[in-house]
Amino acid sequence: MSKGPPTIARAIRSALLTSGPAAKVFAARYVAREWRLGRLEFAFDVPMPDRPARPERPELLAPRKMPRRSKAGSQGSRIALWHALAHIEFVAIDLALDIVGRFGAGMKRDFADDFLSVAADEAMHFALLDRKLRSLGSQYGALPAHGGLWQAAEEISHDVAARLAIVPMVLEARGLDVTPQTIEWVKSQGDCNGARILERILDDEIRHVGFGTKHFIGHCEAAGITPQNLWQCLVKKHFRGAIKPPFNDSARFAGGLSLDFYQSLAS
């Protein structure tokens, strides 16, 4: 690829094609910082890769092939929990970068502002979780990981509304539902440090859901479409799982995701 001016698309593509976990964290933070400081041109002059680069480990498995976790409360179960969370955040770095590089040309500048800040947050979350794993004598890549997270986004790489509907407004919103219970379990194990990490992640994820909802609603309003109706249609079409309670309604509402979006789909 020929050299050119530092554009946002080139910087994002470079970060997506960075495979090592530590290098990926650095690359995501670099792109977010350079954009925030006005050092990247708002130009989309290179395509995004079909898939981001991945480290050799962890081995990615289909959900049904994931090994059963160790007995609850054991060292193995704690490591498995933190490893699964670290993997989610690692993939989330690429998801946030890719949505800007893939769809940013058709969106306003604040779309890039918001989702590059998300990429930096996810990089920080991953770094915290990897450090947690190392404190337990493990590291990211030591266990197999769920291979379906990127696949869910890859299947909706043609439509910004679908990507917003599924990734921040379904997958990340589900994190708002389940994280409080995880925090309580971690506290019950006497792990105050782990609880603080999860509380920080929860606060940030509310904001991430808010960005997704804001831009989804803005996209719908520009097209003269009722946001709730389109969201429900896209979820039925593209999301293979169930929208199921219990919901953290207060956190969802804080992220702009009101009951009239998801209540009628709840199973």
Side-chain angles (χ1 to χ4, degrees):
M1 185 180 298
S2 62
K3 291 185 178 181
T7 66
I8 188 172
R10 288 175 184 267
I12 289 171
R13 180 181 171 87
S14 177
L16 287 169
L17 292 177
T18 300
S19 60
K24 177 85 75 177
V25 166
F26 178 83
R29 289 175 169 174
Y30 174 82
V31 175
R33 182 177 67 250
E34 293 298 286
W35 173 251
R36 187 178 67 251
L37 294 174
R39 295 172 179 166
L40 298 176
E41 182 183 349
F42 188 63
F44 296 85
D45 54 341
V46 292
M48 294 302 105
D50 291 335
R51 293 188 179 187
R54 287 278 182 263
E56 291 184 4
R57 297 287 178 181
E59 179 186 9
L60 299 183
L61 300 176
R64 65 182 181 279
K65 293 186 177 181
M66 288 291 293
R68 291 181 178 272
R69 287 191 182 178
S70 305
K71 183 179 179 181
S74 68
Q75 179 77 346
S77 71
R78 288 193 290 271
I79 289 173
L81 169 67
W82 294 109
H83 193 278
L85 294 173
H87 180 64
I88 290 169
E89 299 298 329
F90 186 74
V91 177
I93 299 171
D94 286 326
L95 289 172
L97 291 169
D98 182 80
I99 199 172
V100 178
R102 191 170 299 277
F103 302 111
M107 305 295 284
K108 296 179 180 178
R109 291 180 70 99
D110 67 336
F111 183 82
D113 296 341
D114 291 343
F115 282 103
L116 288 183
S117 76
V118 170
D121 287 345
E122 307 294 19
M124 181 267 291
H125 297 167
F126 172 79
L128 290 173
L129 293 166
D130 187 51
R131 187 186 308 163
K132 181 67 176 177
L133 278 169
R134 292 177 186 276
S135 76
L136 296 171
S138 188
Q139 63 181 346
Y140 180 61
L143 299 175
H146 191 308
L149 292 172
W150 179 262
Q151 183 181 2
E154 189 175 31
E155 292 173 359
I156 46 177
S157 61
H158 61 290
D159 182 356
V160 67
R163 178 71 73 87
L164 290 167
I166 301 303
V167 176
M169 298 175 72
V170 172
L171 299 179
E172 289 194 87
R174 184 61 180 159
L176 304 185
D177 301 333
V178 301
T179 301
Q181 183 179 358
T182 306
I183 291 171
E184 291 307 311
W185 184 85
V186 169
K187 286 180 177 178
S188 76
Q189 302 298 305
D191 186 355
C192 296
N193 167 260
R196 285 194 296 270
I197 292 171
L198 293 179
E199 286 165 352
R200 171 62 187 273
I201 291 173
L202 178 60
D203 286 344
D204 289 341
E205 296 297 343
I206 291 172
R207 188 162 50 86
H208 300 174
V209 172
F211 288 151
T213 305
K214 177 184 81 172
H215 289 289
F216 182 83
I217 291 173
H219 179 79
C220 291
E221 289 177 344
I225 302 170
T226 303
Q228 292 85 346
N229 292 347
L230 180 61
W231 184 82
Q232 291 164 13
C233 178
L234 291 170
V235 170
K236 290 175 183 176
K237 181 177 180 181
H238 296 293
F239 185 60
R240 296 176 182 176
I243 307 298
K244 56 186 177 181
F247 299 116
N248 186 348
D249 291 323
S250 60
R252 284 170 170 255
F253 187 76
L257 192 57
S258 53
L259 275 169
D260 54 352
F261 276 94
Y262 59 88
Q263 189 172 43
S264 65
L265 295 185
S267 61

mmCIF file with all atom_site columns, all heavy atoms in Angstrom, residues 102-119:
data_model
loop_
_atom_site.group_PDB
_atom_site.id
_atom_site.type_symbol
_atom_site.label_atom_id
_atom_site.label_alt_id
_atom_site.label_comp_id
_atom_site.label_asym_id
_atom_site.label_entity_id
_atom_site.label_seq_id
_atom_site.pdbx_PDB_ins_code
_atom_site.Cartn_x
_atom_site.Cartn_y
_atom_site.Cartn_z
_atom_site.occupancy
_atom_site.B_iso_or_equiv
_atom_site.pdbx_formal_charge
_atom_site.auth_seq_id
_atom_site.auth_comp_id
_atom_site.auth_asym_id
_atom_site.auth_atom_id
_atom_site.pdbx_PDB_model_num
ATOM 1   N N   . ARG A 1 102 ? -15.448 1.364  8.558  1.00 0.00 ? 102 ARG A N   1
ATOM 2   C CA  . ARG A 1 102 ? -16.350 0.790  7.555  1.00 0.00 ? 102 ARG A CA  1
ATOM 3   C C   . ARG A 1 102 ? -17.491 1.741  7.200  1.00 0.00 ? 102 ARG A C   1
ATOM 4   O O   . ARG A 1 102 ? -17.932 1.791  6.044  1.00 0.00 ? 102 ARG A O   1
ATOM 5   C CB  . ARG A 1 102 ? -16.905 -0.530 8.086  1.00 0.00 ? 102 ARG A CB  1
ATOM 6   C CG  . ARG A 1 102 ? -17.640 -1.372 7.047  1.00 0.00 ? 102 ARG A CG  1
ATOM 7   C CD  . ARG A 1 102 ? -17.931 -2.758 7.607  1.00 0.00 ? 102 ARG A CD  1
ATOM 8   N NE  . ARG A 1 102 ? -16.713 -3.469 7.942  1.00 0.00 ? 102 ARG A NE  1
ATOM 9   C CZ  . ARG A 1 102 ? -15.971 -4.145 7.073  1.00 0.00 ? 102 ARG A CZ  1
ATOM 10  N NH1 . ARG A 1 102 ? -16.330 -4.205 5.801  1.00 0.00 ? 102 ARG A NH1 1
ATOM 11  N NH2 . ARG A 1 102 ? -14.874 -4.764 7.469  1.00 0.00 ? 102 ARG A NH2 1
ATOM 12  N N   . PHE A 1 103 ? -18.001 2.467  8.186  1.00 0.00 ? 103 PHE A N   1
ATOM 13  C CA  . PHE A 1 103 ? -19.216 3.268  7.959  1.00 0.00 ? 103 PHE A CA  1
ATOM 14  C C   . PHE A 1 103 ? -19.022 4.773  8.179  1.00 0.00 ? 103 PHE A C   1
ATOM 15  O O   . PHE A 1 103 ? -19.951 5.548  7.936  1.00 0.00 ? 103 PHE A O   1
ATOM 16  C CB  . PHE A 1 103 ? -20.334 2.786  8.893  1.00 0.00 ? 103 PHE A CB  1
ATOM 17  C CG  . PHE A 1 103 ? -20.696 1.345  8.736  1.00 0.00 ? 103 PHE A CG  1
ATOM 18  C CD1 . PHE A 1 103 ? -20.410 0.421  9.733  1.00 0.00 ? 103 PHE A CD1 1
ATOM 19  C CD2 . PHE A 1 103 ? -21.327 0.887  7.577  1.00 0.00 ? 103 PHE A CD2 1
ATOM 20  C CE1 . PHE A 1 103 ? -20.751 -0.916 9.592  1.00 0.00 ? 103 PHE A CE1 1
ATOM 21  C CE2 . PHE A 1 103 ? -21.667 -0.438 7.427  1.00 0.00 ? 103 PHE A CE2 1
ATOM 22  C CZ  . PHE A 1 103 ? -21.380 -1.354 8.441  1.00 0.00 ? 103 PHE A CZ  1
ATOM 23  N N   . GLY A 1 104 ? -17.851 5.180  8.635  1.00 0.00 ? 104 GLY A N   1
ATOM 24  C CA  . GLY A 1 104 ? -17.665 6.573  9.016  1.00 0.00 ? 104 GLY A CA  1
ATOM 25  C C   . GLY A 1 104 ? -17.837 7.563  7.885  1.00 0.00 ? 104 GLY A C   1
ATOM 26  O O   . GLY A 1 104 ? -18.243 8.706  8.115  1.00 0.00 ? 104 GLY A O   1
ATOM 27  N N   . ALA A 1 105 ? -17.545 7.141  6.653  1.00 0.00 ? 105 ALA A N   1
ATOM 28  C CA  . ALA A 1 105 ? -17.653 8.065  5.523  1.00 0.00 ? 105 ALA A CA  1
ATOM 29  C C   . ALA A 1 105 ? -19.077 8.556  5.329  1.00 0.00 ? 105 ALA A C   1
ATOM 30  O O   . ALA A 1 105 ? -19.300 9.669  4.832  1.00 0.00 ? 105 ALA A O   1
ATOM 31  C CB  . ALA A 1 105 ? -17.148 7.401  4.242  1.00 0.00 ? 105 ALA A CB  1
ATOM 32  N N   . GLY A 1 106 ? -20.056 7.750  5.708  1.00 0.00 ? 106 GLY A N   1
ATOM 33  C CA  . GLY A 1 106 ? -21.454 8.124  5.531  1.00 0.00 ? 106 GLY A CA  1
ATOM 34  C C   . GLY A 1 106 ? -22.095 8.708  6.763  1.00 0.00 ? 106 GLY A C   1
ATOM 35  O O   . GLY A 1 106 ? -23.306 8.956  6.774  1.00 0.00 ? 106 GLY A O   1
ATOM 36  N N   . MET A 1 107 ? -21.300 8.934  7.809  1.00 0.00 ? 107 MET A N   1
ATOM 37  C CA  . MET A 1 107 ? -21.827 9.447  9.070  1.00 0.00 ? 107 MET A CA  1
ATOM 38  C C   . MET A 1 107 ? -21.168 10.781 9.401  1.00 0.00 ? 107 MET A C   1
ATOM 39  O O   . MET A 1 107 ? -20.177 11.187 8.776  1.00 0.00 ? 107 MET A O   1
ATOM 40  C CB  . MET A 1 107 ? -21.557 8.433  10.194 1.00 0.00 ? 107 MET A CB  1
ATOM 41  C CG  . MET A 1 107 ? -22.081 7.024  9.916  1.00 0.00 ? 107 MET A CG  1
ATOM 42  S SD  . MET A 1 107 ? -23.891 6.916  9.815  1.00 0.00 ? 107 MET A SD  1
ATOM 43  C CE  . MET A 1 107 ? -24.313 7.002  11.557 1.00 0.00 ? 107 MET A CE  1
ATOM 44  N N   . LYS A 1 108 ? -21.688 11.465 10.403 1.00 0.00 ? 108 LYS A N   1
ATOM 45  C CA  . LYS A 1 108 ? -21.109 12.737 10.830 1.00 0.00 ? 108 LYS A CA  1
ATOM 46  C C   . LYS A 1 108 ? -19.826 12.490 11.621 1.00 0.00 ? 108 LYS A C   1
ATOM 47  O O   . LYS A 1 108 ? -19.567 11.385 12.093 1.00 0.00 ? 108 LYS A O   1
ATOM 48  C CB  . LYS A 1 108 ? -22.118 13.514 11.667 1.00 0.00 ? 108 LYS A CB  1
ATOM 49  C CG  . LYS A 1 108 ? -23.370 13.916 10.890 1.00 0.00 ? 108 LYS A CG  1
ATOM 50  C CD  . LYS A 1 108 ? -24.351 14.668 11.780 1.00 0.00 ? 108 LYS A CD  1
ATOM 51  C CE  . LYS A 1 108 ? -25.598 15.062 11.012 1.00 0.00 ? 108 LYS A CE  1
ATOM 52  N NZ  . LYS A 1 108 ? -26.597 15.760 11.854 1.00 0.00 ? 108 LYS A NZ  1
ATOM 53  N N   . ARG A 1 109 ? -19.046 13.538 11.797 1.00 0.00 ? 109 ARG A N   1
ATOM 54  C CA  . ARG A 1 109 ? -17.752 13.411 12.480 1.00 0.00 ? 109 ARG A CA  1
ATOM 55  C C   . ARG A 1 109 ? -17.901 12.902 13.910 1.00 0.00 ? 109 ARG A C   1
ATOM 56  O O   . ARG A 1 109 ? -16.995 12.228 14.426 1.00 0.00 ? 109 ARG A O   1
ATOM 57  C CB  . ARG A 1 109 ? -17.004 14.744 12.474 1.00 0.00 ? 109 ARG A CB  1
ATOM 58  C CG  . ARG A 1 109 ? -16.504 15.173 11.107 1.00 0.00 ? 109 ARG A CG  1
ATOM 59  C CD  . ARG A 1 109 ? -15.784 16.511 11.199 1.00 0.00 ? 109 ARG A CD  1
ATOM 60  N NE  . ARG A 1 109 ? -14.513 16.390 11.887 1.00 0.00 ? 109 ARG A NE  1
ATOM 61  C CZ  . ARG A 1 109 ? -13.338 16.296 11.265 1.00 0.00 ? 109 ARG A CZ  1
ATOM 62  N NH1 . ARG A 1 109 ? -13.277 16.297 9.940  1.00 0.00 ? 109 ARG A NH1 1
ATOM 63  N NH2 . ARG A 1 109 ? -12.230 16.205 11.952 1.00 0.00 ? 109 ARG A NH2 1
ATOM 64  N N   . ASP A 1 110 ? -19.004 13.236 14.577 1.00 0.00 ? 110 ASP A N   1
ATOM 65  C CA  . ASP A 1 110 ? -19.124 12.787 15.959 1.00 0.00 ? 110 ASP A CA  1
ATOM 66  C C   . ASP A 1 110 ? -19.302 11.274 16.068 1.00 0.00 ? 110 ASP A C   1
ATOM 67  O O   . ASP A 1 110 ? -19.094 10.695 17.135 1.00 0.00 ? 110 ASP A O   1
ATOM 68  C CB  . ASP A 1 110 ? -20.246 13.526 16.694 1.00 0.00 ? 110 ASP A CB  1
ATOM 69  C CG  . ASP A 1 110 ? -21.640 13.201 16.177 1.00 0.00 ? 110 ASP A CG  1
ATOM 70  O OD1 . ASP A 1 110 ? -21.769 12.789 15.009 1.00 0.00 ? 110 ASP A OD1 1
ATOM 71  O OD2 . ASP A 1 110 ? -22.608 13.375 16.952 1.00 0.00 ? 110 ASP A OD2 1
ATOM 72  N N   . PHE A 1 111 ? -19.648 10.613 14.977 1.00 0.00 ? 111 PHE A N   1
ATOM 73  C CA  . PHE A 1 111 ? -19.668 9.151  14.939 1.00 0.00 ? 111 PHE A CA  1
ATOM 74  C C   . PHE A 1 111 ? -18.250 8.632  15.173 1.00 0.00 ? 111 PHE A C   1
ATOM 75  O O   . PHE A 1 111 ? -18.030 7.717  15.987 1.00 0.00 ? 111 PHE A O   1
ATOM 76  C CB  . PHE A 1 111 ? -20.202 8.693  13.585 1.00 0.00 ? 111 PHE A CB  1
ATOM 77  C CG  . PHE A 1 111 ? -20.360 7.211  13.419 1.00 0.00 ? 111 PHE A CG  1
ATOM 78  C CD1 . PHE A 1 111 ? -21.476 6.555  13.900 1.00 0.00 ? 111 PHE A CD1 1
ATOM 79  C CD2 . PHE A 1 111 ? -19.402 6.469  12.741 1.00 0.00 ? 111 PHE A CD2 1
ATOM 80  C CE1 . PHE A 1 111 ? -21.638 5.190  13.728 1.00 0.00 ? 111 PHE A CE1 1
ATOM 81  C CE2 . PHE A 1 111 ? -19.551 5.107  12.556 1.00 0.00 ? 111 PHE A CE2 1
ATOM 82  C CZ  . PHE A 1 111 ? -20.668 4.460  13.056 1.00 0.00 ? 111 PHE A CZ  1
ATOM 83  N N   . ALA A 1 112 ? -17.287 9.211  14.489 1.00 0.00 ? 112 ALA A N   1
ATOM 84  C CA  . ALA A 1 112 ? -15.884 8.839  14.701 1.00 0.00 ? 112 ALA A CA  1
ATOM 85  C C   . ALA A 1 112 ? -15.418 9.234  16.097 1.00 0.00 ? 112 ALA A C   1
ATOM 86  O O   . ALA A 1 112 ? -14.725 8.461  16.772 1.00 0.00 ? 112 ALA A O   1
ATOM 87  C CB  . ALA A 1 112 ? -14.999 9.488  13.639 1.00 0.00 ? 112 ALA A CB  1
ATOM 88  N N   . ASP A 1 113 ? -15.795 10.439 16.550 1.00 0.00 ? 113 ASP A N   1
ATOM 89  C CA  . ASP A 1 113 ? -15.434 10.868 17.904 1.00 0.00 ? 113 ASP A CA  1
ATOM 90  C C   . ASP A 1 113 ? -15.867 9.820  18.928 1.00 0.00 ? 113 ASP A C   1
ATOM 91  O O   . ASP A 1 113 ? -15.091 9.400  19.790 1.00 0.00 ? 113 ASP A O   1
ATOM 92  C CB  . ASP A 1 113 ? -16.122 12.188 18.257 1.00 0.00 ? 113 ASP A CB  1
ATOM 93  C CG  . ASP A 1 113 ? -15.690 13.364 17.403 1.00 0.00 ? 113 ASP A CG  1
ATOM 94  O OD1 . ASP A 1 113 ? -14.614 13.286 16.783 1.00 0.00 ? 113 ASP A OD1 1
ATOM 95  O OD2 . ASP A 1 113 ? -16.448 14.353 17.362 1.00 0.00 ? 113 ASP A OD2 1
ATOM 96  N N   . ASP A 1 114 ? -17.126 9.418  18.826 1.00 0.00 ? 114 ASP A N   1
ATOM 97  C CA  . ASP A 1 114 ? -17.707 8.534  19.831 1.00 0.00 ? 114 ASP A CA  1
ATOM 98  C C   . ASP A 1 114 ? -17.094 7.142  19.785 1.00 0.00 ? 114 ASP A C   1
ATOM 99  O O   . ASP A 1 114 ? -16.671 6.595  20.818 1.00 0.00 ? 114 ASP A O   1
ATOM 100 C CB  . ASP A 1 114 ? -19.222 8.447  19.636 1.00 0.00 ? 114 ASP A CB  1
ATOM 101 C CG  . ASP A 1 114 ? -19.939 9.744  19.977 1.00 0.00 ? 114 ASP A CG  1
ATOM 102 O OD1 . ASP A 1 114 ? -19.333 10.593 20.656 1.00 0.00 ? 114 ASP A OD1 1
ATOM 103 O OD2 . ASP A 1 114 ? -21.095 9.917  19.549 1.00 0.00 ? 114 ASP A OD2 1
ATOM 104 N N   . PHE A 1 115 ? -17.028 6.543  18.609 1.00 0.00 ? 115 PHE A N   1
ATOM 105 C CA  . PHE A 1 115 ? -16.612 5.143  18.556 1.00 0.00 ? 115 PHE A CA  1
ATOM 106 C C   . PHE A 1 115 ? -15.098 4.969  18.643 1.00 0.00 ? 115 PHE A C   1
ATOM 107 O O   . PHE A 1 115 ? -14.637 3.897  19.069 1.00 0.00 ? 115 PHE A O   1
ATOM 108 C CB  . PHE A 1 115 ? -17.214 4.450  17.340 1.00 0.00 ? 115 PHE A CB  1
ATOM 109 C CG  . PHE A 1 115 ? -18.660 4.091  17.563 1.00 0.00 ? 115 PHE A CG  1
ATOM 110 C CD1 . PHE A 1 115 ? -19.674 4.846  17.002 1.00 0.00 ? 115 PHE A CD1 1
ATOM 111 C CD2 . PHE A 1 115 ? -19.005 3.023  18.371 1.00 0.00 ? 115 PHE A CD2 1
ATOM 112 C CE1 . PHE A 1 115 ? -21.004 4.539  17.241 1.00 0.00 ? 115 PHE A CE1 1
ATOM 113 C CE2 . PHE A 1 115 ? -20.325 2.707  18.617 1.00 0.00 ? 115 PHE A CE2 1
ATOM 114 C CZ  . PHE A 1 115 ? -21.336 3.470  18.045 1.00 0.00 ? 115 PHE A CZ  1
ATOM 115 N N   . LEU A 1 116 ? -14.317 5.979  18.321 1.00 0.00 ? 116 LEU A N   1
ATOM 116 C CA  . LEU A 1 116 ? -12.882 5.867  18.604 1.00 0.00 ? 116 LEU A CA  1
ATOM 117 C C   . LEU A 1 116 ? -12.628 6.011  20.095 1.00 0.00 ? 116 LEU A C   1
ATOM 118 O O   . LEU A 1 116 ? -11.697 5.386  20.632 1.00 0.00 ? 116 LEU A O   1
ATOM 119 C CB  . LEU A 1 116 ? -12.085 6.887  17.802 1.00 0.00 ? 116 LEU A CB  1
ATOM 120 C CG  . LEU A 1 116 ? -11.993 6.588  16.304 1.00 0.00 ? 116 LEU A CG  1
ATOM 121 C CD1 . LEU A 1 116 ? -11.107 7.619  15.607 1.00 0.00 ? 116 LEU A CD1 1
ATOM 122 C CD2 . LEU A 1 116 ? -11.470 5.179  16.029 1.00 0.00 ? 116 LEU A CD2 1
ATOM 123 N N   . SER A 1 117 ? -13.445 6.786  20.787 1.00 0.00 ? 117 SER A N   1
ATOM 124 C CA  . SER A 1 117 ? -13.321 6.821  22.250 1.00 0.00 ? 117 SER A CA  1
ATOM 125 C C   . SER A 1 117 ? -13.729 5.473  22.843 1.00 0.00 ? 117 SER A C   1
ATOM 126 O O   . SER A 1 117 ? -13.142 5.019  23.831 1.00 0.00 ? 117 SER A O   1
ATOM 127 C CB  . SER A 1 117 ? -14.168 7.952  22.844 1.00 0.00 ? 117 SER A CB  1
ATOM 128 O OG  . SER A 1 117 ? -15.549 7.646  22.856 1.00 0.00 ? 117 SER A OG  1
ATOM 129 N N   . VAL A 1 118 ? -14.720 4.811  22.232 1.00 0.00 ? 118 VAL A N   1
ATOM 130 C CA  . VAL A 1 118 ? -15.088 3.462  22.660 1.00 0.00 ? 118 VAL A CA  1
ATOM 131 C C   . VAL A 1 118 ? -13.910 2.511  22.470 1.00 0.00 ? 118 VAL A C   1
ATOM 132 O O   . VAL A 1 118 ? -13.595 1.696  23.350 1.00 0.00 ? 118 VAL A O   1
ATOM 133 C CB  . VAL A 1 118 ? -16.321 2.953  21.887 1.00 0.00 ? 118 VAL A CB  1
ATOM 134 C CG1 . VAL A 1 118 ? -16.566 1.464  22.158 1.00 0.00 ? 118 VAL A CG1 1
ATOM 135 C CG2 . VAL A 1 118 ? -17.565 3.758  22.261 1.00 0.00 ? 118 VAL A CG2 1
ATOM 136 N N   . ALA A 1 119 ? -13.243 2.586  21.322 1.00 0.00 ? 119 ALA A N   1
ATOM 137 C CA  . ALA A 1 119 ? -12.095 1.711  21.067 1.00 0.00 ? 119 ALA A CA  1
ATOM 138 C C   . ALA A 1 119 ? -11.017 1.897  22.137 1.00 0.00 ? 119 ALA A C   1
ATOM 139 O O   . ALA A 1 119 ? -10.429 0.918  22.616 1.00 0.00 ? 119 ALA A O   1
ATOM 140 C CB  . ALA A 1 119 ? -11.522 1.984  19.684 1.00 0.00 ? 119 ALA A CB  1
#
